[in-house]
Amino acid sequence: MLPENTGARQRLALARVTTGLAILNTLWHLPPGDALVDEWSRKEEGEEPRAGRLSVEQYEALRRLAFVSTAAWTLGAESRALKFAANASFAAVQRHVAQFDQRAWNYNSNLNVHLLLLSLTDSRGSLAEAAEDGTGEGVSGEGSSSEVATAVLLAMRLYYGCLYFQSGLSKVLLSGPAWADGRTLRGSWAELGNRAGKWLSQRPMTVAAAASAATLAFELLFPVAQIALRRHPRAVGLSSLAFHASTKATMGISFWHHAVHALPLFVLDPAAERHTARLLRAFRKR
């Protein structure tokens, strides 16, 4: 049986705000275009520039367009043109920045996927009830049906779980079951860990082995847990937050742009969407 999807439209509305704020935070903290060009020039001295790379002016223009269109969408604006602008400009900015370091090309591409999935339907929730949309797009019809909302929520939840599965599978394929013996994690604690992590790296190997095995089991079994605990989505979400909290506490790595989506997709009560919509309406009236 598939996981329960009660309150789908309310959860999507909460996910819309979460995704929008995460994207805006990402865009705000991206390096300026001239800094990227300078760094690329040092790395690729004597080489031909890569084809299709944006100029400083193009990058900054797309970055501004992505910020404005995503902000408007987050606050409740709903039109196909706006959603296309937000998706296309943010994807172009992400692609440009990813060329800076190809090893990290997919670091926060989950935000692009969430934005795209939420763009498939009217995800405003109760905010749509008082919206004054002069375009007539995305307000009613098939795009805002409860069936579409349920399908989108299910897709977002499954994608959330697949990211863990992908991480666990890569560990098995690259290192095999030996990854769970604790040596890799113990070395990471020693090299990358904060105070708590470095303390753990000095404990017996059995501590690191237990933590490694638990990590591997969590990542590989998370999609299964969504089905096994289909009537208890909050437990699924809280386990995700606990996992990231432990990673942050020992190595300072949060993956916040992924973990934050556990709140709207699993943890928060759908009724919380009404309070969020009220705050957004108040902000828009300023």
Side-chain angles (χ1 to χ4, degrees):
M1 293 179 62
L2 294 174
E4 63 83 29
N5 288 284
T6 56
R9 297 185 69 175
Q10 290 80 9
R11 287 194 180 279
L12 290 187
L14 291 169
R16 177 184 181 126
V17 176
T18 302
T19 301
L21 292 177
I23 291 174
L24 293 175
N25 183 67
T26 297
L27 290 167
W28 184 265
H29 289 95
L30 285 179
D34 53 359
L36 289 175
V37 169
D38 290 343
E39 185 62 26
W40 279 323
S41 298
R42 286 192 291 270
K43 281 187 172 184
E44 301 173 352
E45 188 173 357
E47 299 180 10
E48 287 293 327
R50 292 181 182 175
R53 180 172 291 171
L54 300 173
S55 67
V56 173
E57 293 76 17
Q58 290 171 328
Y59 166 73
E60 292 296 352
L62 283 169
R63 185 181 174 193
R64 291 187 181 93
L65 175 59
F67 193 94
V68 172
S69 57
T70 301
W73 174 77
T74 304
L75 290 172
E78 183 75 13
S79 74
R80 293 186 182 92
L82 178 72
K83 290 191 283 191
F84 176 80
N87 277 274
S89 57
F90 183 52
V93 170
Q94 290 273 75
R95 176 184 178 276
H96 183 70
V97 176
Q99 296 178 71
F100 179 72
D101 188 347
Q102 288 292 309
R103 295 172 300 175
W105 68 270
N106 65 341
Y107 175 66
N108 62 351
S109 58
N110 67 302
L111 296 178
N112 295 86
V113 176
H114 286 310
L115 178 61
L116 178 60
L117 288 172
L118 289 166
S119 297
L120 298 177
T121 185
D122 185 343
S123 57
R124 290 177 294 175
S126 62
L127 193 64
E129 298 172 7
E132 296 178 0
D133 194 323
T135 64
E137 295 180 326
V139 177
S140 61
E142 183 181 358
S144 58
S145 69
S146 59
E147 291 81 6
V148 174
T150 298
V152 172
L153 175 61
L154 178 60
M156 293 184 72
R157 283 177 163 179
L158 292 178
Y159 173 68
Y160 188 91
C162 284
L163 290 180
Y164 287 124
F165 184 78
Q166 173 188 328
S167 177
L169 185 62
S170 67
K171 292 179 176 66
V172 172
L173 293 178
L174 293 175
S175 302
W179 193 91
D181 64 13
R183 288 178 296 175
T184 300
L185 182 57
R186 194 182 196 188
S188 297
W189 279 340
E191 182 179 357
L192 306 174
N194 50 27
R195 186 174 181 179
K198 295 188 184 305
W199 179 83
L200 286 170
S201 70
Q202 299 172 10
R203 300 305 97 195
M205 182 63 75
T206 52
V207 174
S212 297
T215 297
L216 204 56
F218 173 83
E219 292 180 336
L220 292 175
L221 296 177
F222 192 90
V224 178
Q226 289 189 57
I227 298 176
L229 299 173
R230 56 184 173 274
R231 300 191 184 280
H232 306 282
R234 183 168 296 171
V236 175
L238 289 175
S239 70
S240 174
L241 293 176
F243 174 77
H244 288 287
S246 64
T247 306
K248 176 68 173 178
T250 56
M251 289 189 286
I253 302 173
S254 66
F255 288 108
W256 65 270
H257 51 84
H258 172 66
V260 70
H261 285 90
L263 295 172
L265 297 180
F266 300 102
V267 177
L268 294 178
D269 191 308
E273 185 271 333
R274 289 276 179 181
H275 303 292
T276 303
R278 193 178 301 117
L279 290 173
L280 289 176
R281 283 196 291 267
F283 184 86
R284 288 169 57 178
K285 290 177 180 178
R286 291 184 179 179

